[in-house]
Amino acid sequence: MRNPWADGPEYITQCPIQPGGSYTYRFTMEDQEGTLWWHAHSRWLRATVYGALIIRPPLSSPHYPFPVIPKREITLLLGEWWDRNPMDVLNLAQFTGAAPNISDAFTINGQPGDLYRCSSQETLRFLVGSGEIVLLRVINSALNQELFFGVANHKLTVVAADASYTKPFSTNVIMLGPGQTTDVLLTADQPPAHYYMAAHAYNSANAAFDNTTTTAILKYKDASCVTLQAKSQARAIPAQLPGFNDTATAAAFTAQMKSPSKVKVPLEIDENLFFTVGLGLFNCPTPNTQRCQGPNGTRFTASINNVSFVFPKQNSIMQAYYQGTPTGVFTTDFPPTPPVTFDYTGNVSRGLWQPTRGTKAYKLKFNSQVQIILQDTSIVTTENHPMHLHGYEFYVVGTGVGNFNPNTDTSSFNLIDPPRRNTIGTPPGGWVAIRFVANNPGAWLMHCHIDSHIFWGLAMVFLVENGEGHLQSVQSPPLDLPQC
């Protein structure tokens, strides 16, 4: 809170830490507990620079609000791996304008698992005793891929997401977009054996994707030993995951998320924003050249409200805002609604496929109550875009397919016990509604957590103004803030 200097996105709240340099992030945990994570926020360094950030309940209330207390906890970071340097993959895509090469593997805590070449000896094994209840903290750290996750023959009881407790519900599989976390309880109630924990892609777009499966093994303590030389399929009971394009299962899982009890949802909306999110194409003066390898000789892009975000290069937005020197760094004219109204999820005219470039922010008064409708578009392809808002948690009050209709869809909003998240997907060809109170001053990035979409421009910035007095104002920048 009040400390965007510890947030991290390059050229948004700070300039990047230079090679050989250092910067200490100092921040206070306030009213949060559960599973979060940390990661690099500079180009594609996030591919390998990440880890879990677990906040345990305070000593004043040492217990989790679960129906049962877990015997042990296991943290699972789902990642994505390229056989090449990920920065080279990004640089090639930036040069050609084509989509970046897909990953070669997924990982669990850095290990691909049994189903890939040369990796079975390092497959992770987690020991459990019969009858034990285990808390699995699952984090999707993958760079560009939403993932289904499940454990063979075991039910999962969801109890938290994005460091907010949920009303418990049982499921065979969970779906996480990049940036999302989900806590589940697992009861070791099956015959002693080896069971695969597995994750593979949920691919909601008409696009190439990594169709491999990463695995770890849940091993019962009293299960018979299985040799490393045995065939992979014989070593553990396989997990049954949904099909790669099973949007119905993904949507049904997300729809079950609710807060444990009634919450205080903003009701008197001060800022009613409508954001179209999706891909696009930049036309090239000379198509089919080396730098125009996208569809039909174009370059891929992405945008919110037809603005493809351009990251500054000389100063961060937060520093320029704090110093009162925005000229040449950013403007505050980000549109609250699309510049043109159209059939967002229908057959969109090619004349609307090319956005404009800009480094635009939207100003919010301190303590204003904000509603954002995030509307997916069918430009290039419909897709589930996991949208992440820095500096805030928000309530997900509604979702639906097709174009949002304020006259009919608002009446179905859940204003009683909606889930609290920090990252939420836009249903493919649909919309999602979120609400929050702008009580955290500073410059805060909102972006799709699929990193190939960030560098294409699927991002914007909120500038939340100071309130009254010290406790409603941004802290002074630290002395070791990286220089631009």
Side-chain angles (χ1 to χ4, degrees):
M1 293 292 288
R2 304 188 300 109
N3 188 9
W5 314 111
D7 192 39
E10 66 174 344
Y11 295 111
I12 304 299
T13 57
Q14 66 169 88
C15 290
I17 303 166
Q18 295 302 312
S22 68
Y23 175 45
T24 301
Y25 293 92
R26 299 173 178 88
F27 53 95
T28 303
M29 297 290 186
E30 296 185 32
D31 302 320
Q32 283 187 297
E33 58 184 74
T35 306
L36 293 170
W37 65 306
W38 60 268
H39 60 84
H41 218 301
S42 176
R43 306 188 77 218
W44 271 22
L45 293 180
R46 181 170 83 73
T48 55
V49 184
Y50 62 82
L53 179 61
I54 295 169
I55 311 166
R56 304 202 179 277
L59 294 176
S60 59
S61 61
H63 301 299
Y64 300 116
F66 302 158
V68 288
I69 304 302
K71 173 75 173 179
R72 68 181 74 239
E73 299 183 10
I74 299 173
T75 300
L76 302 173
L77 288 131
L78 311 179
E80 202 167 2
W81 174 264
W82 279 261
D83 286 339
R84 297 181 62 195
N85 180 346
M87 300 300 282
D88 293 339
V89 177
L90 172 63
N91 289 337
L92 178 63
Q94 287 181 312
F95 178 81
T96 64
N101 292 336
I102 62 173
S103 55
D104 296 290
F106 298 116
T107 59
I108 298 177
N109 292 359
Q111 294 295 339
D114 278 355
L115 306 184
Y116 299 90
R117 67 188 189 281
C118 309
S119 65
S120 61
Q121 289 193 357
E122 287 80 30
T123 298
L124 292 173
R125 289 167 171 76
F126 298 99
L127 285 174
V128 295
S130 291
E132 285 185 352
I133 296 171
V134 183
L135 175 63
L136 301 181
R137 300 180 181 271
V138 189
I139 302 167
N140 186 350
S141 313
L143 200 70
N144 293 323
Q145 190 62 61
E146 295 179 301
L147 295 168
F148 285 120
F149 171 86
V151 182
N153 292 12
H154 288 75
K155 285 279 190 180
L156 306 174
T157 300
V158 176
V159 292
D162 294 353
S164 290
Y165 294 114
T166 65
K167 198 168 290 181
F169 65 92
S170 179
T171 181
N172 294 320
V173 65
I174 64 176
M175 193 285 287
L176 307 93
Q180 291 184 322
T181 74
T182 305
D183 294 358
V184 298
L185 295 176
L186 176 148
T187 302
D189 57 2
Q190 295 300 302
H194 300 70
Y195 296 90
Y196 270 136
M197 314 163 92
H200 75 195
Y202 163 49
N203 187 60
S204 61
N206 181 21
F209 67 99
D210 181 344
N211 66 357
T212 62
T213 301
T214 180
T215 57
I217 292 174
L218 187 73
K219 178 182 176 182
Y220 280 60
K221 290 178 181 177
D222 41 359
S224 59
C225 181
V226 179
T227 63
L228 287 172
Q229 286 72 33
K231 288 187 179 294
S232 59
Q233 282 75 11
R235 279 154 89 197
I237 296 170
Q240 300 298 316
L241 296 177
F244 297 113
N245 62 349
D246 193 343
T247 290
T249 294
F253 169 74
T254 304
Q256 293 183 79
M257 293 276 187
K258 293 183 178 180
S259 288
S261 56
K262 182 176 171 59
V263 293
K264 191 175 180 181
V265 182
L267 299 178
E268 302 296 327
I269 300 302
D270 303 304
E271 294 277 0
N272 197 352
L273 307 175
F274 185 87
F275 288 179
T276 53
V277 297
L279 306 184
L281 299 173
F282 277 128
N283 296 321
C284 291
T286 308
N288 301 312
T289 61
Q290 281 188 310
R291 297 189 62 84
C292 296
Q293 297 296 304
N296 300 315
T298 61
R299 292 179 61 86
F300 272 110
T301 184
S303 67
I304 302 178
N305 278 359
N306 204 50
V307 178
S308 183
F309 188 81
V310 178
F311 281 79
K313 291 290 188 287
Q314 304 301 323
N315 197 4
S316 77
I317 289 177
M318 184 62 213
Q319 285 170 280
Y321 177 58
Y322 187 85
Q323 297 160 356
T325 57
T327 303
V329 180
F330 70 92
T331 59
T332 56
D333 56 346
F334 186 86
T337 57
V340 177
T341 302
F342 58 96
D343 181 2
Y344 308 112
T345 57
N347 187 12
V348 183
S349 165
R350 285 299 294 264
L352 297 173
W353 283 36
Q354 178 166 296
T356 60
R357 292 184 174 95
T359 308
K360 299 178 182 290
Y362 189 86
K363 274 194 171 183
L364 293 172
K365 295 286 188 185
F366 184 85
N367 257 352
S368 57
Q369 301 189 68
V370 184
Q371 173 176 287
I372 309 175
I373 307 297
L374 297 164
Q375 173 72 62
D376 183 38
T377 76
S378 57
I379 296 174
V380 181
T381 178
T382 58
E383 187 166 1
N384 190 316
H385 295 280
M387 298 299 295
H388 174 55
L389 175 58
H390 285 241
Y392 287 90
E393 296 168 313
F394 48 76
Y395 290 110
V396 182
V397 297
T399 187
V401 296
N403 298 332
F404 175 73
N405 185 332
N407 297 320
T408 56
D409 291 330
T410 306
S411 61
S412 65
F413 282 3
N414 177 6
L415 304 178
I416 306 299
D417 59 353
R420 186 170 64 178
R421 305 296 301 260
N422 62 41
T423 305
I424 191 64
T426 61
W431 56 269
V432 63
I434 66 173
R435 291 185 180 186
F436 64 96
V437 178
N439 59 1
N440 193 11
W444 304 106
L445 183 66
M446 186 174 197
H447 65 90
C448 178
H449 225 301
I450 295 174
D451 276 42
S452 61
H453 296 179
I454 299 178
F455 89 80
W456 284 341
L458 217 169
M460 58 82 64
V461 170
F462 283 112
L463 285 179
V464 182
E465 298 175 345
N466 286 336
E468 297 181 3
H470 172 72
L471 294 180
Q472 294 183 358
S473 300
V474 168
Q475 298 178 19
S476 299
L479 295 177
D480 62 340
L481 189 70
Q483 295 300 302
C484 296

